[in-house]
Amino acid sequence: MNLIKHKNIILKSSKEFLADAIFPNSDKKLPLIIFVHGYKGYKDWGAWELMGEKFANAGFYFVKFNFSHNGTTIENPNEFADLEAFGENNYSKELDDLEIIINHFKSQKEVDSSKIFLIGHSRGGGISIIKTSENQSISKLITLASVSTLDRFPKYEAFESWKNDGVYFVENTRTKQKLPHYFQFFEDYKKNEERLNVEKASQKIDIPTLIIHGSADESVGMDHSKKLHEWIGNSELKIIENANHTFGAKEPWEETSLPKELNTALEYCIDFLTNN
């Protein structure tokens, strides 16, 4: 199929950020899929480009993007080149960015604005759930290895150190960078705790929802998706045996085809989005 790709479209919230669109050359209006990356993720990570191509070949207008404060920059979209921005990120900013993405792409001439689907991976799953509970234009939701809570902060002595120092660092195991998290992240969460409650947001969702998790997820346990399935009334849960947190993908992904487990997950997604 002849695919059209628009790479590195510049959008702006409190900071400029980038998005990609991949879609088939078609006379018909296309359903829109927006992919929401997770913590330490970015739009060009691993096999996400191949994922976009698979969705586009299945007849979707697929969008992936970098959150404005995920640490990447306009010049370096797949590197953590702005650690200050990374440290200043918070959930409210991510929800603002996602709103900008939805509004920008649902008005594209190729898009059927009555069919807007969110797919959130990991922390992006939690963000997608909250956005879905707030934005009436979302018609279907999919989560991949999603968290069931955004209260994922240091505890006890580590929390006190964070509060006193104003920053804590997490090593990026791939790049060995020390990624900062400023205390404003927690302050923003507490200020917006009601809005950022994934359980309450889940219980407001009545659109069709597909929840996918790997049985070998090393980062977010399957219990998170099981809770989401309990909370979201109109949902189905798919467990992929032996799949890890990224469904077999890694950075860099040098193969020309998708990892088996991710391909299985995407087959579930396409079936759900096409047939329900």
Side-chain angles (χ1 to χ4, degrees):
M1 186 179 286
N2 182 21
L3 298 184
I4 297 170
K5 292 188 177 188
H6 296 318
K7 289 284 284 182
N8 297 328
I9 302 159
I10 299 177
L11 297 165
K12 192 169 191 332
S13 59
S14 56
K15 184 177 178 289
E16 288 186 333
F17 63 107
L18 296 176
D20 297 342
I22 309 173
F23 54 96
N25 191 356
S26 170
D27 297 332
K28 294 188 297 186
K29 295 265 188 180
L30 303 169
L32 171 64
I33 293 174
I34 296 170
F35 175 70
V36 185
H37 73 70
Y39 176 59
K40 292 191 283 190
Y42 47 94
K43 68 179 179 64
D44 297 310
W45 186 92
W48 297 154
E49 182 77 8
L50 291 174
M51 172 174 70
E53 291 173 1
K54 185 175 178 77
F55 278 121
N57 279 312
F60 297 93
Y61 187 110
F62 179 87
V63 171
K64 55 188 172 74
F65 69 100
N66 286 334
F67 279 118
S68 63
H69 287 70
N70 73 346
T72 63
T73 63
I74 302 298
E75 299 76 24
N76 294 297
N78 53 1
E79 294 175 27
F80 295 117
D82 189 346
L83 296 185
E84 187 65 18
F86 188 98
E88 291 292 349
N89 195 22
N90 58 49
Y91 299 132
S92 296
K93 287 175 180 169
E94 293 192 350
L95 286 164
D96 288 348
D97 293 345
L98 182 50
E99 187 72 15
I100 288 165
I101 288 284
I102 293 167
N103 290 333
H104 178 82
F105 285 101
K106 76 178 183 183
S107 63
Q108 299 305 299
K109 67 180 188 298
E110 301 89 355
V111 166
D112 178 352
S113 61
S114 71
K115 294 179 179 175
I116 300 175
F117 311 139
L118 294 186
I119 301 180
H121 177 249
S122 193
R123 182 166 113 183
I127 294 296
S128 297
I129 288 165
I130 292 162
K131 182 55 67 179
T132 298
S133 75
E134 297 177 345
N135 188 315
Q136 298 305 303
S137 66
I138 310 303
S139 44
K140 286 183 184 176
L141 170 67
I142 297 174
T143 63
L144 300 172
S146 179
V147 298
S148 61
T149 176
L150 294 178
D151 184 358
R152 291 170 68 80
F153 300 108
K155 302 285 191 270
Y156 314 117
E157 293 87 355
F159 178 82
E160 289 305 313
S161 296
W162 186 25
K163 186 177 178 182
N164 293 332
D165 298 343
V167 63
Y168 81 92
F169 295 89
V170 170
E171 183 177 286
N172 184 327
T173 50
R174 183 175 59 84
T175 65
K176 304 305 177 193
Q177 288 169 293
K178 298 284 192 291
L179 305 174
H181 299 71
Y182 297 128
F183 195 64
Q184 64 78 30
F185 188 14
F186 179 76
E187 291 173 325
D188 176 78
Y189 173 78
K190 290 304 286 184
K191 191 170 85 176
N192 299 287
E193 197 164 11
E194 186 72 17
R195 181 191 188 194
L196 297 173
N197 185 314
V198 176
E199 180 176 358
K200 287 185 176 172
S202 296
Q203 290 165 347
K204 293 177 189 171
I205 293 173
D206 56 9
I207 62 168
T209 301
L210 175 62
I211 299 161
I212 301 176
H213 218 104
S215 69
D217 193 320
E218 71 287 5
S219 300
V220 177
M222 278 194 301
D223 56 309
H224 284 264
S225 279
K226 288 177 178 175
K227 286 177 184 172
L228 295 176
H229 180 43
E230 285 175 26
W231 298 335
I232 301 174
N234 188 9
S235 68
E236 54 182 292
L237 174 63
K238 297 277 193 186
I239 302 296
I240 298 179
E241 288 304 317
N242 303 316
N244 67 2
H245 187 58
T246 55
F247 300 90
K250 61 183 181 179
E251 173 61 31
W253 185 254
E254 292 167 342
E255 311 289 327
T256 55
S257 58
L258 286 158
K260 178 167 67 79
E261 295 87 355
L262 182 55
N263 192 63
T264 299
L266 300 186
E267 292 285 348
Y268 286 146
C269 293
I270 289 167
D271 182 62
F272 169 76
L273 296 174
T274 305
N275 298 322
N276 282 275

